[in-house]
Amino acid sequence: MHARSEVKPVLESDSLDLVHVLAQVRARSPVIQRALDQHGSISLVDYLGRMLSICDDPLQPRHDLLEAVHRSVLPLLGETVAEKAAQELQALPAILTAHHHGVDFQAQSVQTSLIFSLRAVGGKPATTVPVFACGNIALNNPTYPRGLLLYHPDRQGTEFKLPVKLPIFPDRGKRRSVSLVAPYDNGLIACAEKRFKTMTASQNISPALVAAVESILREDYRNEAILGLKSYSQQAVVLNNRIWKRCFREPDNAPEMIFLELEQITNMLLQADLHNEDSLIWQVMFNPTIRTRVLNQLDGARACWDRSKMTQRLLRAHQTIPDPGSCGTLFFWGVCDNGYRIPLLLTGATDRTATLQGRDDRGQAWSFAFRPADILEGLRAGRLLPSLFTCYTTIGFARGISCCGGYFQAHYLSVMQQALIWVFNETAGCAEWAERLSLVPSNLYLSGMQTVMHGLDDQLLLPAGPVEMIASGGLSRKQLERIRSLTVRDAHLASLMDTLPDILLPGERPDRWHPRLAQASNRLLRERVVVI
């Protein structure tokens, strides 16, 4: 056997000041700053009660959204769960939208769901956790829908790095959008099992963690009903529900995880909205005055589009063009033959000649007619995917659904809303639309907080994802009660391992920050958070 170099020991004098790191993060994020200034000292349950505001008078009724949720859940999770999901959304029209679609193993993402599950619906504990997760992201997105994440670093390796990745899907398809990924099969699971066996032989992974991963692959991923589903998007719905329940010591009493793809729900609603001139999205897309003003107001805005960059991209014929997400897209992403996204720019002098045009990463040109019937056909054929702007306009702004997101969404969703309000105020006869749009909450922030951590060698405190929770035997009722009373500030401190790389650029992060932050967490948070 080859000798392995060990991680440099973390010395007391080498540790970080966790409070100072949080100060750096909040200085870069107005959303986090506001949450801590206004709510830092209160409990998470009290924060949920204050934060979850609801629109009582949306522009469009919600019944079709409830039907879409019911239709999506029914064939995958059954009638009882579908009924619960629709009923609770009717009583409390609020969803989580901070997540990316795929099987969710990211600690911050899963623990956001855990916090959201503590909300009350109609004065009673929630029985569902509705998540509308973005599916147009790639398999190798930082949330890693490509496979499992383990928050258990190799202490004997050359680098202390979190999280450890165990891929399910092969490397060759890692840039495909999750929305369009074919289902995994037994062959891919066998490869993952073989890879994990090699990993356990070379790394010091605890027996409980090994048993948890092996059981997830054997009992959940290899479930025959899940293997028989027609897409990875559908498989993820069922797997997230099953794995989520295993995170609790009493799984039968756990709320149902309703993890749906945001774009698929939007597609279902667009089937009617794009034929309805009174719908918000029809006016934004096909009323020339409104559309021009919206395109101008949000040009260059985060999660929207940059028409200058998109125009430059169109000019690069037959050239390799990297990073399709850097310029955004107008209303829809195109999808090329390999499942990669294509940013689309609206061209044409009149509505009759309007076309969505773009180039894929190989420089090949793509074109889609900008008419309702052609768009709907593109959606049905999997050649178009709605953008975030289209999703939030159709679901959130039109139907008044409160979308609870992360530190980025709480900012860019408000920017989108203010642009729409300005446009409708400036458009003759549309002042009432502007007024009703202003009633929709757009700055609801919930991600960026964690409450459960796991200890390593009594020296380091690390984030805990589903694998770590399952390995511990699941969360008990006592632990869940403790989570409810945790403060918003402590939950932010516990989430710094995931938040810091989102907010601070690589050159701004401390040297060897992973182990140093883990030690600082151990020193400050061990008696404050739930440690498993």
Side-chain angles (χ1 to χ4, degrees):
M1 292 181 65
H2 296 287
R4 292 173 295 185
S5 57
E6 294 190 2
V7 173
K8 177 185 174 183
V10 181
L11 304 177
E12 185 67 29
S13 60
D14 197 31
S15 64
L16 294 175
D17 182 338
L18 210 62
V19 176
H20 175 69
V21 175
L22 180 59
Q24 289 180 288
V25 166
R26 65 189 291 175
R28 292 293 184 88
S29 173
V31 171
I32 294 176
Q33 180 86 295
R34 182 176 63 247
L36 291 171
D37 285 346
Q38 297 179 359
H39 311 292
S41 62
I42 68 173
S43 71
L44 289 172
V45 167
D46 288 342
Y47 176 71
L48 280 169
R50 291 186 189 181
M51 183 269 299
L52 273 179
S53 53
I54 300 299
C55 172
D56 293 323
D57 187 24
L59 277 170
Q60 296 175 226
R62 301 184 180 116
H63 61 83
D64 54 356
L65 173 68
L66 302 179
E67 290 173 3
V69 169
H70 190 279
R71 284 166 50 200
S72 299
V73 176
L74 179 62
L76 300 175
L77 301 178
E79 176 69 33
T80 301
V81 179
E83 288 289 342
K84 284 183 181 180
Q87 290 170 1
E88 290 205 336
L89 263 181
Q90 183 175 27
L92 182 71
I95 57 177
L96 273 180
T97 50
H99 298 48
H100 292 161
H101 200 44
V103 186
D104 191 10
F105 287 99
Q106 192 198 34
Q108 183 164 280
S109 178
V110 171
Q111 295 207 38
T112 297
S113 299
L114 180 60
I115 295 170
F116 192 61
S117 73
L118 304 178
R119 77 199 186 286
V121 179
K124 298 178 181 179
T127 62
T128 63
V129 186
V131 176
F132 286 12
C134 178
N136 71 45
I137 47 95
L139 276 176
N140 66 339
N141 181 273
T143 59
Y144 205 64
R146 184 182 166 194
L148 286 70
L149 295 176
L150 310 179
Y151 290 84
H152 193 98
D154 181 8
R155 294 295 302 274
Q156 297 177 322
T158 58
E159 184 180 9
F160 186 109
K161 190 175 181 181
L162 284 175
V164 176
K165 297 177 179 179
L166 176 62
I168 299 293
F169 291 93
D171 188 70
R172 63 180 179 273
K174 64 185 180 182
R175 289 182 54 205
R176 289 180 64 89
S177 295
V178 171
S179 297
L180 303 158
V181 172
Y184 67 82
D185 56 22
N186 269 317
L188 292 180
I189 301 306
C191 289
E193 289 170 332
K194 183 178 180 180
R195 187 178 290 111
F196 185 62
K197 191 172 183 178
T198 301
M199 185 187 300
T200 57
S202 62
Q203 299 181 20
N204 184 24
I205 301 178
S206 71
L209 203 69
V210 171
V213 171
E214 290 177 343
S215 68
I216 289 170
L217 294 175
R218 181 180 63 252
E219 298 171 21
D220 298 314
Y221 275 85
R222 283 192 180 275
N223 177 275
E224 288 188 10
I226 297 175
L227 285 168
L229 294 172
K230 67 180 183 180
S231 68
Y232 177 51
S233 178
Q234 288 190 346
Q235 289 176 323
V237 174
V238 185
L239 280 169
N240 280 323
N241 182 273
R242 290 172 64 101
I243 294 169
W244 162 265
K245 288 183 178 180
R246 295 181 62 176
C247 293
F248 298 86
R249 198 156 298 177
E250 300 176 16
D252 291 342
N253 294 327
E256 299 285 350
M257 172 57 67
I258 314 296
F259 208 101
L260 303 176
E261 187 183 324
L262 177 67
E263 290 83 357
Q264 288 190 2
I265 298 296
T266 302
N267 284 355
M268 296 168 78
L269 299 177
L270 289 176
Q271 301 304 313
D273 280 8
L274 291 186
H275 289 305
N276 176 15
E277 294 188 16
D278 292 327
S279 73
L280 176 60
I281 197 64
W282 193 98
Q283 288 293 321
V284 169
M285 288 187 185
F286 300 111
N287 181 315
T289 300
I290 292 174
R291 181 179 66 228
T292 298
R293 288 172 172 167
V294 169
L295 294 184
N296 289 337
Q297 282 293 303
L298 290 174
D299 197 14
R302 184 168 192 149
C304 294
W305 48 81
D306 188 317
R307 287 181 291 180
S308 175
K309 289 183 179 180
M310 297 166 75
T311 300
Q312 293 175 22
R313 186 182 175 95
L314 275 178
L315 296 175
R316 296 179 64 176
H318 309 299
Q319 300 179 46
T320 299
I321 309 173
D323 193 9
S326 63
C327 59
T329 193
L330 286 180
F331 302 130
F332 300 94
W333 294 99
V335 180
C336 58
D337 294 335
N338 58 11
Y340 297 174
R341 296 182 305 172
I342 308 166
L344 298 177
L345 180 67
L346 188 61
T347 63
T350 67
D351 277 3
R352 184 168 294 180
T353 61
T355 305
L356 290 169
Q357 292 187 316
R359 290 193 186 277
D360 61 27
D361 60 347
R362 296 166 295 185
Q364 180 181 341
W366 293 79
S367 180
F368 303 87
F370 193 66
R371 294 184 294 267
D374 294 284
I375 290 171
L376 290 172
E377 177 56 34
L379 292 171
R380 284 190 287 267
R383 288 298 187 184
L384 291 174
L385 284 173
S387 68
L388 280 181
F389 172 80
T390 297
C391 291
Y392 287 125
T393 299
T394 303
I395 291 173
F397 299 138
R399 290 165 174 84
I401 302 297
S402 296
C403 297
C404 303
Y407 24 77
F408 298 131
Q409 181 196 297
H411 172 71
Y412 69 65
L413 202 58
S414 295
V415 171
M416 291 179 187
Q417 180 186 41
Q418 291 306 311
L420 289 174
I421 290 171
W422 182 89
V423 166
F424 282 99
N425 271 324
E426 291 294 311
T427 305
C430 293
E432 182 184 351
W433 282 48
E435 175 63 27
R436 293 170 77 180
L437 279 169
S438 70
L439 301 177
V440 180
S442 63
N443 63 347
L444 305 183
Y445 162 62
L446 192 59
S447 187
M449 291 177 268
Q450 296 185 45
T451 60
V452 183
M453 304 186 79
H454 78 100
L456 187 64
D457 299 343
D458 295 324
Q459 296 179 13
L460 308 177
L461 208 55
L462 305 171
V467 177
E468 290 74 29
M469 294 181 194
I470 293 169
S472 74
L475 299 173
S476 67
R477 290 189 184 186
K478 184 177 180 180
Q479 288 170 324
L480 292 172
E481 281 303 314
R482 188 172 179 188
I483 289 170
R484 296 171 63 88
S485 62
L486 235 69
T487 67
V488 170
R489 181 177 180 273
D490 283 349
H492 276 86
L493 288 167
S495 198
L496 282 173
M497 192 75 76
D498 284 330
T499 305
L500 186 149
D502 279 346
I503 304 296
L504 300 183
L505 296 173
E508 300 169 331
R509 302 167 197 167
D511 293 338
R512 298 177 52 254
W513 65 270
H514 279 104
R516 296 171 66 196
L517 197 63
Q519 188 192 45
S521 299
N522 185 66
R523 187 173 63 253
L524 183 64
L525 298 176
R526 185 168 282 275
E527 301 303 322
R528 299 190 190 183
V529 301
V530 172
V531 178
I532 56 176

